Amino acid sequence: MSEQSGGRSGAAAGNNKTSGGQDASKTNVPEDFDIDMDDPETEKAAVAIQSQFRKFQKKKRDEKS
């Protein structure tokens, strides 16, 4: 009996630490979500994200030089 419960608790603890966090983040995202790519707000958000990414890349290159 102790072998079975020990086996379960060890496996359960391992799963909760590694895949438990990943599974929780996956379940928070809806399976079917729709982003309107023609929406002006979406375009503004994309431009802002790209701008920040370009700044990050430039800073990254400058630090190496």
Side-chain angles (χ1 to χ4, degrees):
M1 190 121 152
S2 63
E3 291 176 4
Q4 290 177 347
S5 65
R8 280 188 227 149
S9 64
N15 288 341
N16 287 340
K17 290 180 183 176
T18 56
S19 64
Q22 294 172 353
D23 290 341
S25 65
K26 288 181 183 177
T27 57
N28 291 339
V29 178
E31 287 186 27
D32 186 25
F33 58 94
D34 186 28
I35 299 174
D36 184 10
M37 298 306 283
D38 295 326
D39 184 25
E41 291 297 318
T42 304
E43 292 178 20
K44 288 179 187 176
V47 169
I49 292 168
Q50 291 169 358
S51 174
Q52 291 298 316
F53 182 74
R54 288 185 187 117
K55 288 178 186 177
F56 171 76
Q57 290 295 323
K58 184 178 182 204
K59 183 178 177 183
K60 191 174 168 184
R61 274 185 277 143
D62 292 345
E63 288 177 358
K64 288 183 179 180
S65 299

